[in-house]
Structure formats: C-alpha cells, structure tokens
Amino acid sequence: LCSNTPLVVFGSVNERMYLADAGKRASFIPASFPGAIIRRHTGTPFMGYAGATYLLQEFCNGLFDALFNILPLAGQMDAAQASPTRLDDESQAAPVWQAAATALLESLTESEPVLVRISAAKALRDRAEALTRALGLRVVTPDQVRAVANGARAETVS
C-alpha cells in the first residue's frame, strides 16, 4: 500500500486484509462476491440503476464514516486554541507572505487528506504568522513555514 491511505477502498476480502495488515484506516466497500450479497444488494453488484444506487450509497457512507473519524468531538473543540484575530494595531497586522513561502505552504497541505486540507492549511498559516510576529519580522519566509511544519516554536528559531 502507498504511504497515503485512501479514504475509501473498493475491493474483496484481500484488500481488506491488506489494509488491516498495514494498519491503515479506510472505509471499505465490498466490490466482489460474496461481500455484495452479504450486504443484501439485489442483482449483480454494479449493474444498472440498483448497482449505481449501491455504489453511491456505499461511497457516501464511507465518506461520512471518514468525516466522523476526522472531526473533533465537542469537548475537543472547546479545548482548542482560539484563532488569531486581525487587529487594527500595526503590530498585529497580517505579515506579508513571500511567493516561495506560499508555494511551500500549498505543497505541504497537498499531502493532507482532502477533507481536512483547508483546516490544515489555515492552522499552518496561522502558526507561521504567529512565529513571524514572535520573531519581530513582517515577512513570512519559507524557513518559518518549514519551522512550524516541523513543530518548532518561536524560542527555538532565531
């Protein structure tokens, strides 16, 4: 299996065992016999209107399961740090981003799962801007984006 696990996997029992052996979590949709029959599907699994309905329903169920496993619970959301605000104060103005820093941010977020890509990009952007302010700078550079992507704090980067 690849290093990035897909959200949804169609297949037989073999693919399900491969996922389990690799320790990967993905929504599994039975796409061969006897799985489709066990799921009480009528007819041949992917033929006609019933097959299209089966595929769409199973895929949507897989996406909802993935979303449910990704979203934080209410208690976890309350414990999260608040998003920084943009104040009128000049010292709190949003730092300017170098083009190379923006490109690095985009390439780092492309490796994230589709469902969380926007949140991951926002969190990384906020941390890079906070680090830039903590260092007393006004421009976000690729070095600062790399530092926050690797988990560094303002005290460790100089």
Side-chain angles (χ1 to χ4, degrees):
L1 288 175
C2 63
S3 61
N4 294 334
T5 305
L7 288 175
V8 179
V9 174
F10 290 87
S12 65
V13 174
N14 293 335
E15 284 75 26
R16 191 169 200 164
M17 287 189 302
Y18 297 149
L19 283 170
D21 286 345
K24 303 291 183 176
R25 292 182 60 200
S27 294
F28 176 78
I29 298 174
S32 69
F33 291 105
I37 294 172
I38 293 169
R39 298 288 288 234
R40 297 189 183 93
H41 172 69
T42 59
T44 305
F46 303 125
M47 289 183 65
Y49 178 79
T53 303
Y54 169 76
L55 280 176
L56 188 59
Q57 183 177 10
E58 290 296 317
F59 191 77
C60 288
N61 288 344
L63 289 178
F64 282 127
D65 288 344
L67 186 62
F68 182 77
N69 291 325
I70 290 171
L71 290 177
L73 300 174
Q76 294 168 328
M77 289 175 67
D78 293 340
Q81 183 179 7
S83 296
T85 60
R86 309 277 188 236
L87 302 176
D88 292 334
D89 181 14
E90 185 65 26
S91 66
Q92 295 295 320
V96 178
W97 281 72
Q98 289 182 352
T102 302
L104 179 60
L105 176 73
E106 289 172 3
S107 70
L108 288 171
T109 55
E110 283 179 9
S111 64
E112 296 291 332
V114 174
L115 291 176
V116 297
R117 196 170 286 174
I118 292 173
S119 298
K122 182 183 181 325
L124 190 59
R125 184 178 62 246
D126 289 347
R127 290 195 320 259
E129 289 180 359
L131 176 62
T132 302
R133 284 191 198 97
L135 294 173
L137 303 174
R138 306 254 320 147
V139 178
V140 179
T141 64
D143 292 333
Q144 292 145 354
V145 175
R146 270 189 223 91
V148 297
N150 294 330
R153 299 202 189 290
E155 304 87 44
T156 60
V157 179
S158 55

